[in-house]
Amino acid sequence: MDTEKIFSKVVLTKPESQRASHSSKQAMPDHLVRMGFNENPYGMAPKVLEAINESAKYSNQYPDFLTRKLKESLADFYHVTPDYIVTGSGSSPMIELTGEAFLNPDDEVLMCPTFGAFTDMAEVRLSKSVIVPLLPDKRYDLDGLLKAVTPKTKMVVICNPNNPTGQYRSYDDIKAFIEKLPKTVVVFMDEAYIEYATAPDCRSMLPLVTEMPDRPIVISRTFSKYYGMAGIRAGYVICQPEIAAGYQKLPFSMVPKPAQDGAIVALGEQDFYQEAKKKAVAGLRYLEDELEKLGCEVWRTQSNFILFDPHCDCAYVKDALLERGVQIASPMLLRVSVGTQENNEYFIRCMREILAEVNK
């Protein structure tokens, strides 16, 4: 088979650094402590799980393809009308759908180093990813992005708080940035982790969708992180109705019926999720403090994960943790997701052992 005639050149020549890699140093432990996928260790609210289990009884039936009840629930929650909502099976499919909706070959997509799905979104459509370096404190460089705008700029991606750094730009900073952009540039705001933010000025840009109707602003959200539904798959974007209508003309990712029913219930279980957030934030502060005591450089976070520099070989530390049954991630440096307090403490014990070995 002549694959070069089937697949695009971009797909065939994807850089090695972006391909999945697996360590062969050690077999996967039987009981893995998962602290690398930014999952919610406290899971779904009990009523959400009940709704999903009940809904699963009818999985022989197709779900509502138009997700009407889910859109109505989201619209009520955010005080908009349902025609502002586009749904999909998680935020990653919504990123792909956004690329399909807006991008053409040779368009430019501006971003700082962030979630890898955004460069994929651009490259598979033969658009150009223009990467502006982060500021020294690992925040998005909004001024640098403005300077990088050209007549070919079609979209600017801002992940806030950013993955994998956990850093953010304030509501006022981002609003001022958007006001300076050409009105033809699409602003894609990835807010997958915004519910974990505790800083008063780290806020959703959702109000701008209605306040700036003449600017194409798309807000991406998910039920995977804060709502603990990563394995269920439900996500959505909020945008002006004219843009939402354009999305609806494209092939979409079906939202399973259990995901729709669970997501509707989840929106009403804020007391449960606020308590889970308190535990997550306490766990994050513990991890930040303890990693700093171990001599690591830590970027204190507004998300449910922490970027840190152990000041030694990151690959070695990651493999050494895996040997001890702890899985973390290594975008840029090292990134650890908050776990239960028991798992947080075990991770710190492992880090203490590993760094002691390195510093012998």
Side-chain angles (χ1 to χ4, degrees):
M1 181 183 296
D2 190 349
T3 54
E4 292 196 16
K5 292 183 178 179
I6 300 174
F7 295 110
S8 73
K9 188 175 181 181
V10 171
V11 172
L12 290 175
T13 60
K14 193 170 182 180
E16 287 288 343
S17 61
Q18 295 181 20
R19 296 176 190 160
S21 61
H22 301 279
S23 171
S24 59
K25 183 176 180 180
Q26 188 75 13
M28 189 68 72
D30 290 335
H31 303 287
L32 189 67
V33 176
R34 294 167 62 97
M35 298 178 73
F37 293 104
N38 306 338
E39 297 158 334
N40 180 343
Y42 301 105
M44 294 175 278
K47 289 184 179 179
V48 176
L49 190 57
E50 290 174 12
I52 290 171
N53 288 336
E54 180 64 25
S55 183
K57 295 177 183 178
Y58 304 95
S59 293
N60 61 308
Q61 303 171 1
Y62 287 110
D64 175 9
F65 298 124
L66 301 179
T67 62
R68 283 165 287 202
K69 290 183 179 179
L70 177 56
K71 288 178 182 176
E72 289 171 2
S73 296
L74 287 165
D76 289 343
F77 189 76
Y78 290 114
H79 307 294
V80 295
T81 52
D83 55 352
Y84 279 81
I85 311 292
V86 184
T87 58
S89 56
S91 58
S92 290
M94 299 312 299
I95 292 170
E96 280 303 299
L97 195 64
T98 299
E100 189 69 17
F102 293 108
L103 298 181
N104 295 303
D106 298 325
D107 285 342
E108 292 180 352
V109 183
L110 304 188
M111 66 190 83
C112 291
T114 188
F115 185 39
F118 288 110
T119 53
D120 292 343
M121 171 194 73
E123 290 173 5
V124 298
R125 289 163 183 87
L126 303 181
S127 299
K128 180 181 179 182
S129 299
V130 179
I131 311 297
V132 174
L134 295 165
L135 294 170
D137 60 6
K138 295 288 190 289
R139 293 185 305 151
Y140 245 67
D141 184 358
L142 298 180
D143 289 338
L145 288 171
L146 279 175
K147 293 176 182 176
V149 172
T150 75
K152 289 187 175 183
T153 301
K154 186 65 168 290
M155 183 184 299
V156 176
V157 172
I158 301 177
C159 184
N160 202 54
N162 191 21
N163 178 16
T165 68
Q167 304 307 294
Y168 77 102
R169 295 302 301 258
S170 73
Y171 179 94
D172 290 342
D173 285 350
I174 296 174
K175 182 179 180 181
F177 166 80
I178 293 173
E179 289 172 340
K180 296 173 185 176
L181 284 174
K183 291 185 178 181
T184 54
V185 174
V186 177
V187 179
F188 190 98
M189 292 292 312
D190 180 354
E191 295 185 348
Y193 301 94
I194 196 71
E195 291 99 340
Y196 281 106
T198 56
D201 58 346
C202 185
R203 295 158 42 204
S204 173
M205 305 309 295
L206 177 60
L208 299 189
V209 173
T210 52
E211 291 176 12
M212 297 182 174
D214 58 337
R215 291 181 178 274
I217 299 172
V218 178
I219 311 292
S220 173
R221 304 289 284 269
T222 181
F223 285 92
S224 295
K225 308 302 182 181
Y226 178 76
Y227 290 103
M229 296 174 62
I232 299 297
R233 311 312 300 146
Y236 54 98
V237 299
I238 304 173
C239 53
Q240 290 95 346
E242 298 88 343
I243 295 176
Y247 273 102
Q248 303 290 7
K249 296 176 181 178
L250 298 170
F252 60 93
S253 59
M254 186 186 302
V255 183
K257 179 174 172 53
Q260 293 186 40
D261 293 343
I264 290 168
V265 175
L267 293 172
E269 292 298 298
Q270 295 302 316
D271 288 346
F272 173 88
Y273 289 109
Q274 283 295 310
E275 286 301 311
K277 176 180 176 177
K278 289 179 183 178
K279 291 186 283 189
V281 171
L284 287 166
R285 303 304 169 242
Y286 166 81
L287 290 171
E288 290 168 339
D289 291 344
E290 294 301 315
L291 285 169
E292 286 179 343
K293 289 177 185 177
L294 293 175
C296 300
E297 184 173 4
V298 173
W299 285 269
R300 290 186 171 256
T301 185
Q302 290 295 314
S303 59
N304 68 336
F305 55 83
I306 301 165
L307 184 74
F308 69 99
D309 184 353
H311 299 302
C312 59
D313 186 344
C314 289
Y316 173 81
V317 173
K318 183 181 178 183
D319 284 345
L321 283 166
L322 191 57
E323 290 174 1
R324 291 164 170 82
V326 180
Q327 179 267 331
I328 67 169
S330 56
M332 297 187 190
L333 296 162
L334 291 177
R335 187 194 69 195
V336 61
S337 310
V338 67
T340 63
Q341 189 57 23
E342 179 183 9
N343 286 344
N344 294 337
E345 292 174 2
Y346 178 64
F347 164 75
I348 291 298
R349 288 200 301 272
C350 292
M351 284 296 300
R352 188 175 294 116
E353 292 174 2
I354 294 165
L355 295 178
E357 294 171 0
V358 169
N359 296 321
K360 279 182 181 178

